[in-house]
Amino acid sequence: MFDPKILPVTRKVLNTPARMLVRLGVNADQVTIAGFLIGLLTVPLLAFEYYQLALVAILLNRLFDGLDGAVARRTQLTDAGGFLDIVLDFIFYSAVVFGFMLAAPEQNAIAAGVLLVTFMGTGSTFLAFASVAGKRGIENPAYPSKSLHYMSGLTEGFETILAFVVFCLWPQHFAVLAYVFAVGCWVTAITRIVAGYRTLKQPAAKPENRNV
């Protein structure tokens, strides 16, 4: 929901470190993979209830997620890089929830399972629409430099990370917080299904015929 408003600010902040990485010869895919590996550290950290360290890993992952795009814009934006970025993001999101389940399975397992199901709803609607939107050439003015068509919703990247931060700060209330966030995710999934279906039900624009 807030991603389009926050994006211009984060891009300005990340310009300087991105410039430094480019000078060092670091490419965007390397930043993406490094951030993903850091993000995966949240699973053992959460499992052993090192919540503050897990929060650091989560925030570093998000920092790298912003940096890879900044580096790509200074070098070359590629479909391969965009594909790698979004796939690893979705794996990271699910890994964080899995980590909370491992921390207290008797308390968190059902809530974590519910949240993972909702992530399937938000993720599948996002990726399915992006695939068809790319095929149809549907423009996305809110995210003009993204490799995929970003479908908006109540819970996007910023809201997901905010939820993770809250989970780490109050892990004893993970179950309740996860259910609350799951409701927001289902609102996103349902609105995307309705909006996506209505959009794609319209006839695709036919290319203009020009006489040469």
Side-chain angles (χ1 to χ4, degrees):
M1 182 171 64
F2 292 107
D3 283 14
K5 298 178 181 179
I6 295 173
L7 192 60
V9 178
T10 57
R11 284 184 176 178
K12 290 181 180 179
V13 173
L14 294 175
N15 271 337
T16 299
R19 189 184 304 116
M20 294 173 62
L21 288 174
V22 171
R23 289 177 180 175
L24 292 172
V26 178
N27 65 49
D29 291 349
Q30 291 171 334
V31 178
T32 299
I33 294 171
F36 174 68
L37 295 176
I38 292 172
L40 286 185
L41 292 176
T42 58
V43 176
L45 290 172
L46 289 171
F48 289 103
E49 301 183 56
Y50 294 118
Y51 296 110
Q52 293 181 342
L53 291 176
L55 178 56
V56 172
I58 290 170
L59 295 178
L60 284 174
N61 171 273
R62 293 298 86 194
L63 173 62
F64 276 65
D65 184 64
L67 275 173
D68 62 5
V71 170
R73 286 188 294 275
R74 288 189 166 274
T75 52
Q76 183 180 8
L77 291 168
T78 66
D79 290 338
F83 167 79
L84 183 67
D85 179 61
I86 195 64
V87 168
L88 297 187
D89 275 354
F90 278 112
I91 295 174
F92 164 70
Y93 292 153
S94 298
V96 173
V97 178
F98 180 63
F100 277 100
M101 185 192 72
L102 293 176
E106 69 288 344
Q107 176 182 325
N108 295 344
I110 296 178
V114 169
L115 192 53
L116 287 174
V117 171
T118 67
F119 281 3
M120 181 61 70
T122 56
S124 62
T125 52
F126 174 92
L127 294 174
F129 185 82
S131 175
V132 183
K135 179 181 176 181
R136 287 196 173 195
I138 299 175
E139 296 182 357
N140 189 15
Y143 302 96
S145 62
K146 293 289 187 179
S147 298
L148 298 177
H149 190 293
Y150 271 52
M151 199 176 190
S152 60
L154 179 64
T155 56
E156 299 181 63
F158 173 79
E159 291 78 19
T160 302
I161 299 309
L162 180 61
F164 288 171
V165 171
V166 173
F167 293 165
C168 288
L169 293 178
W170 293 282
Q172 69 274 22
H173 301 302
F174 169 80
V176 173
L177 295 169
Y179 287 132
V180 172
F181 186 57
V183 171
C185 289
W186 273 115
V187 171
T188 298
I190 292 170
T191 55
R192 283 177 175 173
I193 291 171
V194 173
Y197 180 78
R198 288 178 176 175
T199 300
L200 299 177
K201 195 175 181 180
Q202 301 298 319
K206 295 182 179 179
E208 295 182 3
N209 294 321
R210 295 183 179 180
N211 296 323
V212 180

